[in-house]
Amino acid sequence: MSQSASQTCLASARKKIEAGQRLSFDDGLFLYDHADLFTLGELANLVRERKNGNFTYYNVNTHLNPTNVCVYRCTFCAFRADLKSPKGYVMTDEQILERAAEAESRGATELHIVGGLHHQLPYEWYLNVVRIIHQAHPRLHLKAYTAVEWDWFGRLTGRPTRDILAEFIKAGLGSLPGGGAEIFHPEVRDKICEHKADADSWIRIHREAHQLGLRSNATMLYGHIEEARHRIDHLCRLRALQDETGGFQTFIPLAFHPDHTRLDHIPKAGVLMDLQTMAVSRLMLDNFPHIKAYWIDLGPKLAQVALTCGADDLDGTIVEERISHAQRAFAPLGLKLTELVRLIKEAGRKPIERDTLYNIVREW
């Protein structure tokens, strides 16, 4: 593309963004391929502050990964274990309840529950995880199971996932996390996770959850074998579902970490791609209220920088997250509340503690 053509395209995109108009697929692809990071950051920050002012959100939460044994063998995953693997585990009811009690005693408002798809555990085991926690700790919001897990529950039972979601709501389910989206485009998805829930299933399950009154998040795994066009396609599909249901709260771009995976020959995405993806996500997802810089993937310092490139949420204290940690043994398992607040204030933002549904718990 010539310099004059690039300037024309950038001016057109800027005009749309400043007017609050929607960017097209081609606009998004142009921004990824041709816009410099400073311009992307400026434009994404414009949208970020238009939607959320100077606020940056976080919550006090704990992750619970009840098992890492998984029937699927996604090429990007370092967390999963085979049934007879020495590193495989299944938490007992007592261990699960102990983690929930620890979370509540620390002031957590949310328990984030995701894990492997254990081929010898019945559907009732997964339902029981939610039920026993909710019965013992009804004030904890349970954000549980990705669309891939809900799809697996449907395969286990032969029942419609909508009915299964309704049953879990009665047991205490509060919302859905956004995992399992990876990259929707079949050119990529068929290579990195060919047997698990496809893009249509992921979208259908989140649609059903929204229709039942649940809110959910959405993710995108970037920095592996996908190209910019696959990322923009992914964002456009999410945007279309949000137009339909309005049920998404937050989008989280997840940086792929190749260590200990079958894609360990791929170099890790650099800081430029991390911040580009954050900014383009904010610009394309005009109907998403929030964009999250997931500090456990980006690292606290880069997540802090992302607050100038479209992100308005840092996630939370987390504690004992195992899925991302499996790929980076040096990654911290949690951040202290004071550290989260310091990161936000240093970035010149106002920290807001929220609950899962973005109700304000505390302002600093």
Side-chain angles (χ1 to χ4, degrees), residues 73-142:
R73 297 175 177 271
C74 301
T75 60
F76 58 81
C77 184
F79 170 70
R80 72 164 302 278
D82 290 326
L83 189 64
K84 297 182 179 180
S85 169
K87 76 169 188 175
Y89 70 87
V90 177
M91 294 178 70
T92 65
D93 288 0
E94 291 74 20
Q95 290 172 321
I96 290 167
L97 289 173
E98 181 181 0
R99 179 67 54 76
E102 290 173 354
E104 188 162 40
S105 69
R106 289 178 41 253
T109 57
E110 172 190 291
L111 203 57
H112 180 122
I113 307 169
V114 295
L117 305 173
H118 195 301
H119 17 323
Q120 291 189 0
L121 291 176
Y123 163 77
E124 289 73 18
W125 185 85
Y126 298 92
L127 178 62
N128 183 63
V129 170
V130 169
R131 180 183 289 124
I132 62 173
I133 295 173
H134 182 65
Q135 289 175 347
H137 304 279
R139 288 187 292 182
L140 278 177
H141 179 103
L142 304 184

Side-chain angles (χ1 to χ4, degrees), residues 76 83 111 122 183 248 290 295 325 334:
F76 58 81
L83 189 64
L111 203 57
I183 289 288
F248 287 119
H290 305 285
W295 67 259
H325 189 75

Side-chain angles (χ1 to χ4, degrees), residues 9 14 32 60 78 101 145-146 185-186 215 237 245 258 271 275 309:
C9 289
R14 177 183 287 276
Y32 243 128
V60 180
Y145 302 129
T146 68
H185 201 291
R215 306 301 297 274
R237 295 194 202 202
T245 67
V271 169
L275 296 178
C309 291

Side-chain angles (χ1 to χ4, degrees), residues 171-298:
L173 177 68
S175 65
L176 266 60
E182 324 312 359
I183 289 288
F184 288 146
H185 201 291
E187 288 179 1
V188 177
R189 196 174 189 87
D190 290 349
K191 294 177 182 177
I192 63 172
C193 51
E194 61 178 334
H195 297 299
K196 74 179 186 182
D198 61 13
D200 289 343
S201 296
W202 193 99
I203 289 169
R204 172 183 53 78
I205 288 165
H206 279 262
R207 178 186 292 115
E208 291 170 349
H210 298 168
Q211 290 170 343
L212 289 168
L214 295 173
R215 306 301 297 274
S216 70
N217 294 340
T219 62
M220 177 178 71
L221 185 70
Y222 68 90
H224 42 93
I225 66 170
E226 91 290 355
E227 300 172 8
R229 63 189 176 91
H230 299 125
R231 297 178 211 128
I232 299 299
D233 170 77
H234 189 98
L235 296 173
C236 287
R237 295 194 202 202
L238 290 174
R239 189 171 69 182
L241 182 56
Q242 181 73 334
D243 279 344
E244 179 186 339
T245 67
F248 287 119
Q249 299 193 116
T250 311
F251 174 73
I252 310 106
L254 297 174
F256 172 61
H257 292 263
D259 293 349
H260 311 299
T261 75
R262 286 188 284 151
L263 296 175
D264 60 4
H265 58 284
I266 296 176
K268 182 188 178 303
V271 169
L272 178 62
M273 180 181 284
D274 290 331
L275 296 178
Q276 276 181 322
T277 302
M278 191 68 62
V280 171
S281 299
R282 177 64 284 173
L283 295 172
M284 291 298 295
L285 296 177
D286 52 68
N287 53 5
F288 271 63
H290 305 285
I291 304 291
K292 183 182 295 184
Y294 188 48
W295 67 259
I296 203 163
D297 267 349
L298 296 174

